Amino acid sequence: MKPDDSPLIRAGESAGEYLLHEIDSSIDPSGARSISSAPIEYESLNGFQTLLVVIFLGVAAWYLTWRLDTFNEQALGFSILLYGAELFGMLTTLLHLFMTWRLRIRISPPPPPGFKVDVFIPTYNEPVELVRNTLVAAIHMDYPHETWLLDDGNRPEMAALAQELGVRYLARQENTDAKAGNLNNALRHSDADFIAVFDCDHAPHKYFLTRTLGYFQDEKVAFVQTPQDFFNLDSYQHRWRPNRKLVWTEQSLFFRVIQRGKDYWNAAFFCGSCAVIRRSALDDVGGFATGTVTEDLHTSLRIHKAGYKSVYHPESLAFGLAPNSVMPFLKQRIRWGQGAMQVWRQEGVLFARGLTLAQRLNYFASMSTYFDGWQKAIFYVAPVIVLFTGMMPINALGAEFLWHFIPYYLLNFWVFEEVGRGFGNTLYIEQYNMGRFAGFAWATLGLFRKRLSFFVTPKEQTPRSESLRLLTPQLVVLIFNAAAIPVGIALFLYWHHLPFSGVVANVVWAAVNLSLALAIVAFSLKQSRFRRKEYRFPIPLPANVSLADEPMRFMTVDDISSNGCRIYGNFVSPPPIGEAIRGIIYLPAGQIPFLGEITSHIEGGRQDQRYVKAIGCRFVVQDWHYRDQLKLFLYGSDLQWQLLTLTERIPTPSEWMAEKMGIISPTSQFAARNWAAMLYRIKEKQEHPDEVGLITMTGDRLEAVLTFKPIPEGTSIQGRFFTRRRSEDFLVCIGPGRALQSPVSPIYLYEVTPVAEKPD
């Protein structure tokens, strides 16, 4: 496979997802292979994991049966409530096992020519710049298509943007049925065979259509859904420490595992964005579903009831803007929950005609998850009640209780991690469960409300005072559990209101609740202080920069957006804040000139040896053409994941143990932290002009180069690199490498070996 043709593979994908791309080349190029005639390929739990699940189910039956004899007759209501919460947890576990036992492996067939495709991008009140990012990426997708901007805000600036970029513009005078009404209105003006839908903050990769349209050779396929990924790794739903490769997100488990499991049962659902839908299937079900605030889930259900197939293609092919703070995050989850309740109310789900039993269970699992809010509330309150009042929900404690509870609890955790295939980070999931439990509980009341208002997820930052108000339920849990611990201990010491084992068990329980509440409150308040208006991508690029009237010098930029960047170079003296700066940033497809001003100094070194290692730059003047080229390069791909070798996946407990025992080797990938701009040429082609790229080193040892053109392995290149401290000639031999896909053209990362011979 040539580097230019290598598929876009998300860092950290599972073996099954990697296989999806590896077997892609075996498909008949003519596209004659029918999906309906192909056997279902899937990734299942291995033998050890299957045995573990069987043991867990046996222990769970043993524990829950034993619990029936432990009710405290003096607090029967409390006992039944707690046992009911445990039973609900077991029900959701069984549904989760059913959904995730087998994960569908999808082959991306080549798209046949001749499909007529319209791309719908609905907007209401989002910023122009955000919409521009998506439009620029959508326009440049491979495969012939027409892009539509559907403006429910009916704003002149959006009409001007559409005209400038050459896309179709459609607005409505009334906003009936919100997003669904906007999409249905566009359907009346479109005659395309297929409709690709993107939220206005989701910039698609250029491969999006060519990776998804091939599935529609099966005439029963109604829609193809891809993951909803997000580029802003500093969002509220991301957990990333920049010095680590792990970037876990609150939706990792859903898009990497659960949707693939649903796909095995033909039950993956349309998520409202990053999908392609067959027009005739929409016509058969009356268009995008209205009457609920989640038109995506509702439309999916109606399409499945009509007998159509769905496809979940697990490749990251579009990247949007995740909520930056607690307020938009919670509002979005509440809307999803309320919409799920409305769909349940209208469609019945468990008894809906037209669905298979497996589809009913899959939809029920997704909708019932919002009742988890009530279950968590019971668990958060229970130890407080016990420690304050001495009222126990069970009459068995001590060794008997531990003998039953600990195996059940530990196996529950272990099984969850294994079936999550490394994407179910329990610690973080429990923190988010704490953060959203009240919102989920509130959302379930939508089951009894006929009409709800649709609202767009806010993109702005949440003020600190508003964050505190939204965190009131978590603060209540925190305060009461914190108070219950000393009060419970004091009451035990003076009045022995509980047996010793009961005090210990409930103090530990309250401490766990306290730690979860403290963690999510602290994280939420930290995110509310975030002030940057535009995400900065941690992507290094070479640049030629001039400060004031100095000559141009090669430097390195990163932390880059269309509004500014950070520049690393050899600064003889710190340039003053506000000073003008000009330069050229090199991209794989060309050069981006810029004019800007210095906004900050980034210092390094020990306290007694401080130095300016970088400067912050804000772009002041930049031609719209060049700015769009930079936007196209930055948005609509996972280049930052590829370049930094980031992953959402951690080893499961069984994998961790196998690594420690030497049964399997730990995976490791090259990951550079510091890059320097370089000029280079192939040693055997001295007559050729210099090329621009990047080089990285540890100490004085050169380790890898990043180039915009492919170089054969074994080739010697020579040139000069430019760091903060010096510029120096080098001669290296190109080693193994890989192509990193970007929306414009590939970037090539190669390991290198220094050559002893001096450069010419």
Side-chain angles (χ1 to χ4, degrees), residues 226 305 379 535 617 628 706 735:
T226 68
K305 286 172 66 175
F379 289 157
Y535 178 71
C617 169
D628 284 348
L706 198 66

Side-chain angles (χ1 to χ4, degrees), residues 215-228:
Y215 290 107
F216 290 102
Q217 295 172 79
D218 183 345
E219 294 183 355
K220 293 300 292 181
V221 170
F223 66 85
V224 177
Q225 178 67 55
T226 68
Q228 285 191 359

Side-chain angles (χ1 to χ4, degrees), residues 64-71 395-396:
L64 293 171
T65 302
W66 170 80
R67 280 281 284 114
L68 287 170
D69 294 327
T70 64
F71 289 178
N395 59 20

